[in-house]
Short mmCIF file of all heavy atoms in Angstrom, two decimals:
data_model
loop_
_atom_site.label_atom_id
_atom_site.label_comp_id
_atom_site.label_asym_id
_atom_site.label_seq_id
_atom_site.Cartn_x
_atom_site.Cartn_y
_atom_site.Cartn_z
N ARG A 84 117.65 129.81 84.77
CA ARG A 84 117.58 128.37 85.05
C ARG A 84 117.63 128.09 86.56
O ARG A 84 116.92 127.22 87.06
CB ARG A 84 118.71 127.63 84.33
CG ARG A 84 118.51 127.53 82.82
CD ARG A 84 119.41 126.48 82.21
NE ARG A 84 120.82 126.79 82.36
CZ ARG A 84 121.53 127.53 81.53
NH1 ARG A 84 120.95 128.08 80.47
NH2 ARG A 84 122.82 127.75 81.73
N PHE A 85 118.48 128.84 87.27
CA PHE A 85 118.54 128.64 88.72
C PHE A 85 117.26 129.11 89.40
O PHE A 85 116.78 128.50 90.36
CB PHE A 85 119.74 129.38 89.31
CG PHE A 85 121.01 128.58 89.29
CD1 PHE A 85 121.98 128.82 88.33
CD2 PHE A 85 121.22 127.58 90.22
CE1 PHE A 85 123.15 128.08 88.30
CE2 PHE A 85 122.39 126.83 90.20
CZ PHE A 85 123.35 127.07 89.24
N LEU A 86 116.71 130.18 88.92
CA LEU A 86 115.51 130.73 89.54
C LEU A 86 114.31 129.84 89.32
O LEU A 86 113.44 129.72 90.20
CB LEU A 86 115.24 132.13 88.98
CG LEU A 86 114.02 132.88 89.52
CD1 LEU A 86 114.14 133.09 91.02
CD2 LEU A 86 113.88 134.22 88.81
N ARG A 87 114.27 129.16 88.19
CA ARG A 87 113.06 128.43 87.83
C ARG A 87 113.31 126.94 87.58
O ARG A 87 112.78 126.08 88.27
CB ARG A 87 112.45 129.06 86.59
CG ARG A 87 111.24 128.35 86.06
CD ARG A 87 110.76 128.96 84.76
NE ARG A 87 109.66 128.22 84.18
CZ ARG A 87 109.12 128.46 82.99
NH1 ARG A 87 109.59 129.45 82.27
NH2 ARG A 87 108.13 127.75 82.53
N ASP A 88 114.16 126.63 86.60
CA ASP A 88 114.23 125.27 86.07
C ASP A 88 114.82 124.26 87.05
O ASP A 88 114.29 123.15 87.20
CB ASP A 88 115.05 125.26 84.77
CG ASP A 88 114.39 126.10 83.68
OD1 ASP A 88 113.16 126.10 83.61
OD2 ASP A 88 115.11 126.78 82.92
N TRP A 89 115.93 124.62 87.74
CA TRP A 89 116.52 123.65 88.65
C TRP A 89 115.62 123.39 89.85
O TRP A 89 115.60 122.29 90.41
CB TRP A 89 117.91 124.11 89.09
CG TRP A 89 118.96 123.90 88.03
CD1 TRP A 89 119.65 124.86 87.36
CD2 TRP A 89 119.41 122.64 87.53
NE1 TRP A 89 120.52 124.27 86.45
CE2 TRP A 89 120.39 122.91 86.54
CE3 TRP A 89 119.11 121.30 87.81
CZ2 TRP A 89 121.06 121.92 85.84
CZ3 TRP A 89 119.76 120.30 87.11
CH2 TRP A 89 120.71 120.60 86.14
N ARG A 90 114.85 124.38 90.25
CA ARG A 90 113.90 124.17 91.35
C ARG A 90 112.77 123.23 90.91
O ARG A 90 112.28 122.41 91.69
CB ARG A 90 113.33 125.51 91.83
CG ARG A 90 114.35 126.33 92.63
CD ARG A 90 113.72 127.54 93.29
NE ARG A 90 114.64 128.16 94.23
CZ ARG A 90 115.16 129.38 94.09
NH1 ARG A 90 114.84 130.11 93.04
NH2 ARG A 90 115.97 129.88 95.00
N ILE A 91 112.36 123.36 89.65
CA ILE A 91 111.34 122.45 89.12
C ILE A 91 111.88 121.03 89.08
O ILE A 91 111.17 120.06 89.42
CB ILE A 91 110.89 122.90 87.71
CG1 ILE A 91 110.12 124.22 87.80
CG2 ILE A 91 110.02 121.83 87.05
CD1 ILE A 91 109.75 124.81 86.46
N VAL A 92 113.14 120.87 88.66
CA VAL A 92 113.78 119.55 88.66
C VAL A 92 113.74 118.96 90.07
O VAL A 92 113.40 117.78 90.26
CB VAL A 92 115.23 119.64 88.14
CG1 VAL A 92 115.98 118.34 88.40
CG2 VAL A 92 115.25 119.97 86.65
N MET A 93 114.11 119.77 91.06
CA MET A 93 114.12 119.30 92.43
C MET A 93 112.73 118.84 92.88
O MET A 93 112.56 117.77 93.48
CB MET A 93 114.63 120.41 93.36
CG MET A 93 114.70 120.00 94.82
SD MET A 93 115.35 121.31 95.90
CE MET A 93 113.98 122.48 95.84
N GLU A 94 111.72 119.63 92.55
CA GLU A 94 110.36 119.29 92.96
C GLU A 94 109.89 117.98 92.33
O GLU A 94 109.26 117.14 92.98
CB GLU A 94 109.40 120.42 92.58
CG GLU A 94 109.62 121.70 93.40
CD GLU A 94 108.88 122.88 92.82
OE1 GLU A 94 108.15 122.69 91.82
OE2 GLU A 94 109.03 124.00 93.35
N LYS A 95 110.21 117.81 91.05
CA LYS A 95 109.76 116.60 90.36
C LYS A 95 110.51 115.37 90.83
O LYS A 95 109.94 114.28 90.94
CB LYS A 95 109.92 116.78 88.85
CG LYS A 95 108.93 117.78 88.26
CD LYS A 95 108.94 117.78 86.75
CE LYS A 95 107.84 118.69 86.21
NZ LYS A 95 107.79 118.70 84.73
N LEU A 96 111.79 115.52 91.14
CA LEU A 96 112.55 114.39 91.66
C LEU A 96 112.01 113.97 93.01
O LEU A 96 111.91 112.78 93.32
CB LEU A 96 114.03 114.76 91.78
CG LEU A 96 114.83 114.85 90.47
CD1 LEU A 96 116.22 115.38 90.74
CD2 LEU A 96 114.91 113.48 89.80
N ALA A 97 111.66 114.95 93.84
CA ALA A 97 111.15 114.64 95.17
C ALA A 97 109.80 113.93 95.07
O ALA A 97 109.47 113.08 95.90
CB ALA A 97 111.01 115.92 95.98
N ALA A 98 109.05 114.27 94.03
CA ALA A 98 107.69 113.75 93.92
C ALA A 98 107.63 112.36 93.30
O ALA A 98 106.75 111.57 93.65
CB ALA A 98 106.84 114.72 93.10
N ILE A 99 108.57 112.04 92.41
CA ILE A 99 108.34 110.85 91.60
C ILE A 99 109.41 109.77 91.69
O ILE A 99 109.14 108.63 91.35
CB ILE A 99 108.17 111.22 90.10
CG1 ILE A 99 109.46 111.85 89.57
CG2 ILE A 99 106.98 112.14 89.90
CD1 ILE A 99 109.42 112.08 88.07
N ASP A 100 110.62 110.08 92.16
CA ASP A 100 111.65 109.07 91.95
C ASP A 100 112.77 109.09 92.98
O ASP A 100 113.49 110.07 93.10
CB ASP A 100 112.28 109.29 90.56
CG ASP A 100 112.80 107.97 90.00
OD1 ASP A 100 113.30 107.16 90.79
OD2 ASP A 100 112.69 107.77 88.79
N PRO A 101 112.97 107.99 93.73
CA PRO A 101 114.07 107.92 94.68
C PRO A 101 115.43 107.78 94.02
O PRO A 101 116.46 108.03 94.66
CB PRO A 101 113.72 106.67 95.50
CG PRO A 101 112.87 105.84 94.59
CD PRO A 101 112.09 106.81 93.77
N VAL A 102 115.45 107.39 92.73
CA VAL A 102 116.72 107.24 92.03
C VAL A 102 117.44 108.58 91.92
O VAL A 102 118.67 108.65 91.92
CB VAL A 102 116.50 106.63 90.62
CG1 VAL A 102 117.81 106.52 89.86
CG2 VAL A 102 115.83 105.28 90.73
N GLY A 103 116.68 109.66 91.87
CA GLY A 103 117.29 110.99 91.75
C GLY A 103 117.56 111.64 93.08
O GLY A 103 117.72 112.86 93.13
N LYS A 104 117.66 110.84 94.13
CA LYS A 104 117.81 111.41 95.47
C LYS A 104 119.08 112.23 95.63
O LYS A 104 119.08 113.28 96.28
CB LYS A 104 117.79 110.29 96.52
CG LYS A 104 117.83 110.80 97.95
CD LYS A 104 117.75 109.66 98.95
CE LYS A 104 117.82 110.19 100.37
NZ LYS A 104 117.76 109.10 101.37
N VAL A 105 120.18 111.77 95.03
CA VAL A 105 121.45 112.49 95.17
C VAL A 105 121.35 113.88 94.56
O VAL A 105 121.75 114.88 95.18
CB VAL A 105 122.60 111.70 94.50
CG1 VAL A 105 123.90 112.52 94.54
CG2 VAL A 105 122.81 110.36 95.18
N LEU A 106 120.77 113.94 93.35
CA LEU A 106 120.60 115.24 92.70
C LEU A 106 119.62 116.11 93.49
O LEU A 106 119.85 117.31 93.69
CB LEU A 106 120.11 115.07 91.27
CG LEU A 106 119.83 116.35 90.48
CD1 LEU A 106 121.08 117.24 90.43
CD2 LEU A 106 119.36 116.03 89.06
N PHE A 107 118.56 115.52 93.98
CA PHE A 107 117.58 116.25 94.79
C PHE A 107 118.25 116.87 96.01
O PHE A 107 118.06 118.05 96.31
CB PHE A 107 116.46 115.30 95.22
CG PHE A 107 115.56 115.89 96.27
CD1 PHE A 107 114.56 116.77 95.92
CD2 PHE A 107 115.72 115.56 97.62
CE1 PHE A 107 113.72 117.32 96.89
CE2 PHE A 107 114.89 116.11 98.59
CZ PHE A 107 113.89 116.99 98.22
N GLU A 108 119.06 116.08 96.73
CA GLU A 108 119.71 116.57 97.93
C GLU A 108 120.73 117.66 97.59
O GLU A 108 120.89 118.63 98.35
CB GLU A 108 120.40 115.42 98.67
CG GLU A 108 119.45 114.39 99.26
CD GLU A 108 118.58 114.97 100.36
OE1 GLU A 108 118.95 116.01 100.94
OE2 GLU A 108 117.51 114.39 100.65
N LEU A 109 121.42 117.53 96.46
CA LEU A 109 122.43 118.52 96.05
C LEU A 109 121.76 119.87 95.74
O LEU A 109 122.24 120.92 96.19
CB LEU A 109 123.21 118.02 94.83
CG LEU A 109 124.37 118.90 94.36
CD1 LEU A 109 125.43 119.02 95.44
CD2 LEU A 109 124.97 118.35 93.08
N ILE A 110 120.68 119.82 94.99
CA ILE A 110 119.97 121.06 94.66
C ILE A 110 119.39 121.68 95.93
O ILE A 110 119.49 122.90 96.14
CB ILE A 110 118.85 120.80 93.63
CG1 ILE A 110 119.45 120.28 92.31
CG2 ILE A 110 118.07 122.09 93.36
CD1 ILE A 110 118.40 119.86 91.29
N LYS A 111 118.80 120.85 96.78
CA LYS A 111 118.22 121.33 98.01
C LYS A 111 119.26 122.00 98.90
O LYS A 111 118.99 123.04 99.53
CB LYS A 111 117.56 120.18 98.76
CG LYS A 111 116.83 120.59 100.03
CD LYS A 111 116.17 119.40 100.70
CE LYS A 111 115.46 119.81 101.98
NZ LYS A 111 114.84 118.64 102.66
N GLU A 112 120.46 121.42 98.94
CA GLU A 112 121.53 121.97 99.77
C GLU A 112 121.90 123.39 99.38
O GLU A 112 122.19 124.24 100.22
CB GLU A 112 122.77 121.06 99.68
CG GLU A 112 123.97 121.57 100.45
CD GLU A 112 125.21 120.71 100.20
OE1 GLU A 112 125.10 119.67 99.55
OE2 GLU A 112 126.30 121.12 100.67
N HIS A 113 121.90 123.68 98.07
CA HIS A 113 122.33 124.99 97.56
C HIS A 113 121.17 125.92 97.25
O HIS A 113 121.39 127.07 96.87
CB HIS A 113 123.18 124.81 96.30
CG HIS A 113 124.48 124.11 96.54
ND1 HIS A 113 125.59 124.77 97.03
CD2 HIS A 113 124.84 122.81 96.38
CE1 HIS A 113 126.59 123.91 97.14
NE2 HIS A 113 126.17 122.72 96.76
#
């Protein structure tokens, strides 16, 4: 999940929705 799925979540949040910015920044940080 870390290798694939959470990175996909980050990419989709960055592409489509500012509401998920906190989660996007958290995943990006780690």
